[in-house]
Amino acid sequence: MTVKGSIAIKGTPMVLKLSTDELLTTTRSVRRRLDFERPVEREVVQECLRLAVQAPSGMNHQRWHWVLVTAPAKKAALADIYRQSFTAVYRPDVVGAMSKDQRRIYESARYLADNLARVPMMLIPCQWRRVDGATVREQAGFWGSLLPAVWSFMLALRSRGLGSCWTAVHLDQERAASSLLGIPYEKCTQAGLFPIAYTIGTDFKPAARGPLEDVVHWDAW
């Protein structure tokens, strides 16, 4: 399938013709525009992961692990765990107190929760060690050794016409997900759950953001 505005690079999957700035400003959290019907090729995701693990990690330890889920029964079980956590977090009183903009985002998140089992593939990034009760410094170092690689993975997906969304709600039941997938919970931490699918269209735009002057501080707050 040829995607408009894309190019084929020898030895790699189809790559969209995006400048670096376009890639950085149009990699969105994709929920409603995930294509549940189109299969995702394993080799495309592996290529994205090869790029992702070029990201820096603390002391170059590279303690990350990448759990990819394609088996329908396991996807359905993970989706059940996710929905249970989602329902517990977004209680009726919480939803009722949302602003119009918050409600719009919630509806998109609920759509994903309702359809999560339909995505072709899921990813749970993990890293050796638990950080429960760790200091801020320890946690910063821990997450800083994994999250750059996860973001690189999302950028690589976008460049190949796929999308994802960083979700964390299932982590309220991290033990259950670990048990389902054989992840050694006592010595390995999950960072989230990422649906993976081709996107319906590739015409994503930069998001609205507030002025930098409101959040940038030079030399002092």
Side-chain angles (χ1 to χ4, degrees), residues 128-168:
W128 287 117
R129 207 161 64 86
R130 301 295 307 177
V131 288
D132 312 74
T135 66
V136 172
R137 176 188 59 79
E138 290 169 331
Q139 293 212 32
F142 180 86
W143 296 116
S145 294
L146 177 61
L147 302 192
V150 177
W151 179 235
S152 290
F153 177 73
M154 293 182 72
L155 292 170
L157 288 177
R158 162 65 173 147
S159 74
R160 285 154 176 78
L162 293 98
S164 187
C165 178
W166 199 316
T167 78

Side-chain angles (χ1 to χ4, degrees), residues 38-108:
R38 182 178 174 185
V40 172
E41 303 87 350
R42 179 175 293 194
E43 58 268 26
V44 175
V45 174
Q46 288 178 323
E47 182 65 26
C48 292
L49 286 172
R50 289 190 188 97
L51 295 171
V53 298
Q54 289 296 314
S57 66
M59 299 297 291
N60 197 30
H61 285 313
Q62 303 173 49
R63 290 175 172 155
W64 43 54
H65 281 266
W66 311 87
V67 183
L68 293 155
V69 184
T70 59
K74 290 189 175 181
K75 288 193 298 178
L78 274 176
D80 285 341
I81 292 171
Y82 187 91
R83 277 193 298 273
Q84 291 170 20
S85 295
F86 186 89
T87 302
V89 170
Y90 294 103
R91 304 182 310 274
D93 60 308
V94 173
V95 176
M98 288 179 175
S99 67
K100 183 178 179 180
D101 286 343
Q102 290 171 332
R103 185 63 181 257
R104 177 180 56 81
I105 296 172
Y106 162 76
E107 293 293 347
S108 177

